[in-house]
Amino acid sequence: MEAVVGLLIMLLGVSLGAETFCDGRRDGVQCFGALGGTVVLQLMDNASEIPRYDWRKNGTRILNGRKKYFLINTMETRSVFIPSNGTFLINNLIRTDGGQYTLRLQDSDGRQTGKQTLQLFIQAPVSSVLLVSECLSEGQMKVSCSSEGGDSPQYSWTLDGNTLTDSELLSGTTETNIIILKQNLSGRLVCSVRNHISRVSNETILTTCDGKTFCDGRRDGVQCFGALGGTVVLQLMDNTSEIHRYLWNKDGTIILYGRKNTIIINTMKTRSVFIPSNGTFLINNLIRTDGGQYTLKLQDSDGRQTAERTLQLFIQAPVSSVLLVSECLSEGQMCMCRSSEGGDSPQYSWTLDGNTLTDSELLSGTNETNIIILKQNLSGRLVCSVRNHISCVSNELMISVCRDVL
Ligand SMILES: *[C@@H]1O[C@H](CO)[C@@H](O)[C@H](O)[C@H]1NC(C)=O
Ligand SMILES: *[C@@H]1O[C@H](CO)[C@@H](O)[C@H](O)[C@H]1NC(C)=O
């Protein structure tokens, strides 16, 4: 009975730092643990089937046992061995826990029946990620992603959820921390930094270097987004000098009519510019009613239609600021995130100490609701991000463990 009590106390003492699991039952496995966190190493199956076992780190004995009775555990102040499932748990990991561990199994006559090694690597978790963008002379954008903490960081980039491709990159790759993007890209750019024990990301909404949103409407059915009061650049076609006639309607009403390089009608002239040489249509001072379905028809010299495509333009008010409050309830800590002004179709996401919230931390709500209740005993840097298609704003709060709530 005493052994059981001891075990419970040790388990309660486990820090709330990151916990990693590693199945070390094959020879040559690589395991990773978070500095300050906990690693659970599965060394064998039920130890009560094994007459003798001996586990050493770089030659120094750590654990020695017979069946379910382990005789020696030299790391006992920071570790627990559970014979019934052969797991060895180490708390408060330090750098020098890294190294090569060798397990030897013996039969009751002392003959070796098995030997396996595992390599344990201790890494500091990535704690935060900073994204900085800078416009270069030709309108290309240099974006650098830097991380704090984090041993051996590995970078990756996505734009609107897709890995960046060479056609979007002028320099760098999807795995470097500094990239140069080609002109006129838009969307949600995310940089993720990970190592074996953590993953943190940060994001930004790309606009062109002069703050406009760009949309390539040269395919049929594209969705474009513009900021209320801002400017959108719609690429409708390539150079018009080869196009005999083009007609662009919004919800059935004519906006633009032209022949090759000559613009015959532009009913939005006061707020827009059409550039025939590259087929872009720029609308300033966007208003709600600019949203809608636009249809482009191209004709040949005989007036026959050669192409037709539509694009849907959505006008959104940007998220301007985010308010984050928390309150201790008897069951846990309630946190509420609200975009304080404007912000159409806000989407929410949360991180705690850089990691996306998981169900094991949430009593109610999800990583995408604006109100959540965190389980008790959680603390750290809580960040709520609010985004829509044209903006992204976040706010953070240091939360501490709630005490004495009735
Ligand atoms: C091993 O047993 C302990 C105590 O019963 C349990 O908490 C743990 O989840 C088990 N681990 C595995 C890998 O089965
Ligand atoms: C189109 O041409 C204008 C004027 O030369 C230029 O400012 C703009 O960047 C060009 N847009 C694209 C998509 O090439």
Side-chain angles (χ1 to χ4, degrees), residues 113-134:
T113 55
K115 177 180 168 212
Q116 74 213 18
T117 61
L118 72 80
Q119 201 75 37
L120 178 62
F121 297 91
I122 306 300
Q123 292 191 326
V126 180
S127 56
S128 65
V129 172
L130 189 72
L131 262 186
V132 177
S133 58
E134 175 193 343

Side-chain angles (χ1 to χ4, degrees), residues 41-145:
L41 302 170
Q42 181 150 22
L43 302 180
M44 50 194 124
D45 298 315
N46 191 337
S48 61
E49 315 280 314
I50 303 170
R52 287 184 195 171
Y53 45 92
D54 177 78
W55 195 48
R56 290 170 190 245
K57 182 190 163 215
N58 301 338
T60 307
R61 177 176 278 167
I62 306 238
L63 183 74
N64 185 278
R66 291 175 181 215
K67 298 193 170 172
K68 62 184 170 179
Y69 309 102
F70 53 92
L71 310 173
I72 300 175
N73 174 359
T74 59
M75 280 179 87
E76 134 185 285
T77 53
R78 286 195 294 130
S79 75
V80 189
F81 179 61
I82 300 159
S84 65
N85 59 21
T87 58
F88 193 87
L89 180 155
I90 312 173
N91 287 318
N92 302 324
L93 287 165
I94 51 180
R95 294 266 179 204
T96 52
D97 289 332
Q100 177 164 301
Y101 291 79
T102 306
L103 178 72
R104 286 189 170 79
L105 306 177
Q106 293 177 344
D107 66 15
S108 47
D109 298 328
R111 275 187 298 254
Q112 185 164 311
T113 55
K115 177 180 168 212
Q116 74 213 18
T117 61
L118 72 80
Q119 201 75 37
L120 178 62
F121 297 91
I122 306 300
Q123 292 191 326
V126 180
S127 56
S128 65
V129 172
L130 189 72
L131 262 186
V132 177
S133 58
E134 175 193 343
C135 280
L136 304 181
S137 55
E138 303 283 303
Q140 303 98 344
M141 194 173 284
K142 179 177 166 185
V143 192
S144 47
C145 179

Side-chain angles (χ1 to χ4, degrees), residues 227-397:
L228 190 63
T231 299
V232 68
V233 180
L234 303 170
Q235 181 150 21
L236 302 180
M237 46 198 140
D238 298 313
N239 190 331
T240 60
S241 62
E242 305 289 312
I243 302 172
H244 283 89
R245 283 188 197 144
Y246 44 92
L247 189 67
W248 197 46
N249 289 319
K250 181 189 169 228
D251 300 323
T253 306
I254 187 160
I255 306 264
L256 181 73
Y257 175 54
R259 290 174 183 216
K260 298 192 171 175
N261 290 336
T262 311
I263 301 166
I264 297 166
I265 299 173
N266 176 358
T267 59
M268 278 179 89
K269 213 162 38 204
T270 53
R271 283 196 297 130
S272 76
V273 187
F274 179 62
I275 300 158
S277 66
N278 61 22
T280 58
F281 193 88
L282 181 155
I283 313 173
N284 287 317
N285 302 323
L286 287 165
I287 52 179
R288 294 267 179 204
T289 52
D290 289 331
Q293 178 163 302
Y294 290 78
T295 306
L296 178 71
K297 291 180 173 145
L298 306 181
Q299 293 177 350
D300 66 13
S301 53
D302 299 327
R304 277 187 299 252
Q305 184 164 314
T306 55
E308 175 176 330
R309 53 185 177 247
T310 61
L311 74 79
Q312 200 77 36
L313 178 63
F314 297 91
I315 306 300
Q316 292 191 327
V319 180
S320 54
S321 64
V322 172
L323 194 74
L324 182 57
V325 291
S326 77
E327 186 186 337
C328 286
L329 306 178
S330 56
E331 66 268 34
Q333 185 157 195
M334 185 191 71
C335 304
M336 193 172 69
C337 180
R338 196 154 53 88
S339 94
S340 56
E341 271 168 65
D344 291 317
S345 314
Q347 290 182 283
Y348 298 87
S349 61
W350 299 85
T351 60
L352 182 62
D353 286 336
N355 299 305
T356 300
L357 284 180
T358 60
D359 286 346
S360 68
E361 292 157 329
L362 288 164
L363 209 59
S364 124
T366 72
N367 184 46
E368 287 164 6
T369 52
N370 74 319
I371 299 180
I372 55 171
I373 299 180
L374 291 173
K375 290 192 178 161
Q376 280 160 335
N377 296 323
L378 287 177
S379 62
R381 191 168 67 98
L382 183 72
V383 176
C384 171
S385 301
V386 186
R387 65 167 197 275
N388 57 18
H389 280 93
I390 50 140
S391 59
C392 172
V393 178
S394 62
N395 202 344
E396 62 181 63
L397 191 67

